[in-house]
């Protein structure tokens, strides 16, 4: 097996465009920096990734409540959360060409200086100034009287402002979790590395409310760290390319008492996949103070009232998605294989009639295809020779290909070819549902 990592990111970007995974946003108008559009296969992959997170974090656990809050919120939310004052990145500007960069991203700065050095220019930078990355929108129907609102910079606040609603409607017993998946927006100074740093992206978050007790909070923190790491491993990500990293105190977000990242070894070095944060009582206390509402919790068992603390797990969708693609990309001889976990693969199987000019084969294959489509996402391909069709499916990560040939017409068996081993087996057509189900689990 040859895993050639040179230009790996470029290869992924090209595959994503060519095979309908991810396109530059608004491409025919020259694009919009930091935005990406998910095509047919990318949408399936993204859906599967979110579904897997949802099953793992919500459906398979007790005492976890789902939420789906608005993207636009009352601007006071963001004053209370500290984002208006503190959701900033240090910005510097090149005095020669006026391009702007994040002062804490040495790699970008070095690259820019090297670019100027080629023209024998030495870069002079402005002093760093704090730049707020909340994205503003105007809401209202009268020009001049529109209200400025913020598109949420993290999906988190939609959960915390609903804390009282959840407690009053669901009567959860502490500790309990509230989970949400949704879009977030950041006016990133330098979007880069494909979908890694975008201006519009999705997050998958779990806010776990715990008693205000450092020992209990840290036990939950450790449990969550390990539980989140297991998700990547269960989905087949290479263990050697994953690690934890603790944030230094000066690196932590304004709300965090402790913060660890799960990192992946990307072609540009180790970088963040998701964060686990100890947010203490920051959010509920601030919203209590700013809204004037009582956001405490009454513990029936201990007969105590308190403001709970929060342990958060906050993953993007795009970063794990990119890492799963990087991890899965394999070159073997003259084929490219995306060795994605079957749960993530856009199609679970592809169905081929051996020859497209034999109506009886096509009709039989269509019957099998339609039957499988009731339960799985399945591709249909009748073009070109079988070898090319296999390779085309390998490149998009389809775990198996099912071929309907003349023997199928006689004994109702088909060949099923495994993406990774390329082994072919003959199985009964009526076993296919069960085989795919087992594989996807
Ligand atoms: N609620 C906490 C929070 O938002 P964060 O570390 O700022 O924490 C969490 O973001 C995750 O969101 C990151 O680990 C990353 O996966 C994703 N993320 C953040 N900014 C991003 C961006 N500009 N583009 C893509 N994903 C991003």
């Amino acid at each position: 097996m040859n895993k050639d990592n040179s230009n790996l990111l470029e290869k992924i970007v090209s595959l994503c465009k060519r095979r309908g995974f991810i396109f530059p946003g608004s491409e025919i108008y020259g694009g919009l920096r930091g935005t990406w559009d998910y095509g047919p296969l990318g949408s399936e992959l993204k859906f599967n990734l979110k579904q897997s997170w949802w099953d793992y974090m919500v459906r398979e656990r007790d005492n976890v409540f789902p939420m789906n809050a608005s993207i636009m919120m009352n601007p006071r939310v963001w004053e209370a959360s500290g984002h208006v004052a503190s959701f900033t990145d240090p910005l510097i500007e090149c005095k020669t060409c006026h391009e702007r960069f994040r002062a804490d991203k040495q790699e970008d700065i070095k690259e820019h200086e090297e670019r100027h050095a080629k023209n024998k220019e030495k870069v002079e930078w402005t002093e760093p100034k704090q730049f707020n990355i909340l994205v503003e929108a105007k809401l209202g129907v009268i020009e001049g009287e529109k209200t400025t609102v913020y598109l949420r910079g993290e999906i988190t606040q939609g959960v915390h402002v609903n804390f009282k609603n959840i407690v009053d409607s669901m009567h959860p017993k502490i500790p309990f979790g509230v989970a949400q998946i949704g879009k977030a927006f950041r006016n990133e100074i330098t979007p880069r590395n494909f979908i890694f740093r975008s201006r519009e992206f999705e997050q998958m978050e779990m806010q776990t409310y715990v008693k205000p007790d450092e020992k209990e909070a840290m036990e939950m923190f450790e449990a969550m760290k390990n539980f989140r790491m297991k998700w990547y491993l269960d989905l087949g990500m290479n263990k050697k390319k994953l690690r934890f990293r603790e944030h230094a105190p000066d690196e932590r977000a304004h709300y965090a008492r402790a913060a660890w990242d799960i990192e992946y070894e990307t072609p540009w070095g180790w970088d963040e996949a998701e964060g686990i944060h100890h947010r203490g009582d920051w959010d509920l206390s601030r919203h209590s103070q700013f809204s004037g509402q009582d956001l405490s919790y009454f513990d029936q068992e201990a007969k105590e009232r308190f403001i709970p603390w929060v342990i958060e797990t906050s993953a993007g969708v795009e970063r794990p998605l990119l890492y799963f693609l990087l991890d899965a990309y394999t070159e073997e001889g003259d084929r490219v294989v995306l060795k994605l976990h079957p749960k993530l693969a856009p199609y679970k199987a592809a169905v081929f009639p051996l020859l497209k000019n034999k109506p009886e084969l096509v009709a039989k294959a269509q019957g099998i295809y339609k039957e499988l489509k009731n339960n799985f996402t399945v591709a249909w391909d009748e073009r070109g020779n079988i070898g090319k069709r296999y390779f085309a499916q390998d490149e998009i990560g389809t775990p198996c290909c099912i071929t309907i040939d003349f023997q199928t017409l006689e004994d109702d068996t088909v060949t099923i070819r495994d993406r990774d081993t390329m082994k072919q087996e003959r199985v009964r057509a009526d076993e296919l549902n069960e085989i795919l189900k087992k594989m996807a689990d």
Side-chain angles (χ1 to χ4, degrees):
M1 187 181 81
N2 165 28
K3 183 129 189 169
D4 177 5
N5 275 346
S6 58
N7 306 325
L8 181 57
L9 185 63
E10 289 78 1
K11 285 175 186 170
I12 291 292
V13 174
S14 151
L15 189 153
C16 282
K17 173 93 200 296
R18 192 161 31 83
R19 299 304 311 270
F21 281 87
I22 304 170
F23 312 125
S26 319
E27 194 181 11
I28 61 167
Y29 288 99
L32 178 68
R33 200 158 170 230
T35 66
W36 299 93
D37 294 340
Y38 286 71
L41 298 193
S43 306
E44 287 289 355
L45 173 59
K46 206 176 200 202
F47 178 85
N48 293 342
L49 188 90
K50 290 191 280 183
Q51 181 73 54
S52 158
W53 187 92
W54 197 254
D55 288 345
Y56 185 79
M57 297 299 285
V58 184
R59 298 256 164 89
E60 291 165 15
R61 299 173 69 227
D62 292 327
N63 231 15
V64 174
F65 302 88
M67 267 292 308
N68 189 339
S70 294
I71 286 176
M72 291 186 291
M73 306 175 80
N74 187 311
R76 294 269 292 155
V77 169
W78 301 105
E79 286 165 30
S81 70
H83 284 76
V84 171
S86 307
F87 201 43
T88 54
D89 282 331
L91 178 147
I92 51 171
E93 189 176 305
C94 166
K95 286 187 181 171
T96 311
C97 68
H98 303 291
E99 212 174 319
R100 292 169 169 197
F101 291 88
R102 263 176 71 169
D104 57 344
K105 296 287 169 198
Q106 289 309 319
E107 191 196 331
D108 300 1
I109 291 168
K110 210 171 127 228
E111 203 178 273
H112 188 74
E113 287 176 347
E114 281 168 4
R115 218 166 353 122
H116 278 290
K118 279 190 194 143
N119 300 334
K120 310 225 174 332
E121 290 162 354
K122 188 168 170 353
V123 174
E124 272 190 63
W125 296 102
T126 58
E127 282 303 308
K129 62 174 184 218
Q130 289 304 321
F131 172 79
N132 193 296
I133 60 173
L134 282 174
V135 176
E136 291 181 5
K138 299 272 184 213
L139 213 57
V141 287
I142 304 172
E143 276 309 330
E145 288 181 24
K146 289 184 181 169
T147 309
T148 300
V149 295
Y150 302 105
L151 303 186
R152 58 188 180 190
E154 59 170 5
I155 62 170
T156 327
Q157 299 309 322
V159 169
H160 296 312
V161 300
N162 279 291
F163 176 77
K164 189 168 156 39
N165 283 331
I166 289 169
V167 169
D168 291 349
S169 59
M170 307 306 291
H171 313 291
K173 196 165 158 272
I174 208 153
F176 63 93
V178 183
Q180 183 173 216
I181 297 182
K183 289 248 177 178
F185 303 82
R186 294 183 188 179
N187 196 3
E188 295 286 358
I189 299 168
T190 44
R192 65 178 289 138
N193 291 333
F194 193 26
I195 54 174
F196 171 81
R197 198 186 305 136
S198 317
R199 288 184 168 144
E200 173 177 340
F201 55 97
E202 284 188 88
Q203 292 186 312
M204 311 182 281
E205 285 193 347
M206 168 77 69
Q207 308 297 318
T208 305
Y209 295 99
V210 298
K211 283 186 184 175
D213 174 278
E214 199 56 45
K215 186 168 167 285
E216 277 190 37
M218 284 319 288
E219 276 170 12
M220 182 60 78
F221 192 87
E222 278 308 309
M224 278 299 167
K225 258 174 66 187
N226 294 325
F227 192 60
R228 287 305 307 143
M229 180 63 97
K230 190 170 173 293
W231 181 73
Y232 293 90
L233 297 173
D234 285 356
L235 285 172
M237 200 175 265
N238 182 351
K239 196 174 176 183
K240 292 199 187 113
K241 290 199 162 258
L242 285 162
R243 73 174 189 193
F244 288 115
R245 187 181 71 82
E246 185 176 12
H247 279 211
D250 62 350
E251 221 189 320
R252 283 182 215 144
H254 60 274
Y255 49 74
R257 290 185 186 194
W260 285 69
D261 283 345
I262 292 179
E263 291 191 333
Y264 180 79
E265 192 178 15
T266 70
W268 62 91
W270 287 94
D271 220 330
E272 178 185 356
E274 70 175 85
I276 297 98
H277 309 129
H278 180 344
R279 297 179 74 118
D281 67 350
W282 169 264
D283 303 278
L284 292 181
S285 290
R286 293 276 294 191
H287 287 307
S288 214
Q289 194 188 325
F290 277 67
S291 67
Q293 303 279 322
D294 177 7
L295 301 182
S296 63
Y297 173 90
F298 185 68
D299 184 346
Q300 296 286 354
E301 262 172 29
K303 303 278 179 251
E304 285 178 308
R305 183 169 284 285
F306 50 77
I307 299 262
W309 288 0
V310 172
I311 303 300
E312 166 187 71
T313 72
S314 177
V317 174
E318 288 74 6
R319 287 185 192 176
L321 188 147
L322 175 58
Y323 300 162
F324 278 114
L325 285 172
L326 291 167
D327 213 57
Y329 184 93
T330 315
E331 289 172 357
E332 284 180 357
D334 52 359
R335 71 176 191 141
V336 167
V337 199
L338 270 190
K339 295 192 172 178
L340 287 170
H341 190 286
K343 264 194 184 153
L344 298 180
Y347 297 121
K348 306 306 169 207
V351 176
F352 310 149
L354 183 65
L355 299 169
K356 78 167 180 187
N357 55 1
K358 296 283 172 203
E360 64 278 32
L361 280 186
V362 174
K364 182 74 187 167
Q366 270 286 318
I368 291 174
Y369 167 70
K370 290 208 170 111
E371 169 78 28
L372 292 176
K373 250 176 98 85
N374 288 327
N375 298 318
F376 309 97
T377 46
V378 186
W380 169 265
D381 193 359
E382 56 182 24
R383 297 162 309 166
N385 74 42
I386 279 285
K388 279 199 181 140
R389 284 186 251 170
Y390 285 152
F391 278 17
Q393 293 300 324
D394 291 343
E395 201 187 24
I396 59 171
T398 309
C400 64
C401 294
I402 296 158
T403 304
I404 284 73
D405 55 20
F406 292 104
Q407 194 178 328
T408 316
L409 302 178
E410 283 165 22
D411 63 6
D412 226 21
T413 62
V414 298
T415 61
I416 180 162
R417 172 201 180 260
D418 182 275
R419 174 194 70 195
D420 298 343
T421 62
M422 292 193 282
K423 275 208 189 114
Q424 296 188 28
E425 241 190 295
R426 219 155 175 111
V427 301
R428 289 205 327 265
D430 63 7
E431 286 176 313
L432 286 171
N433 249 308
E434 209 41 45
I435 292 172
L436 293 196
K437 199 160 156 268
K438 241 192 219 155
M439 181 194 73
D441 283 343

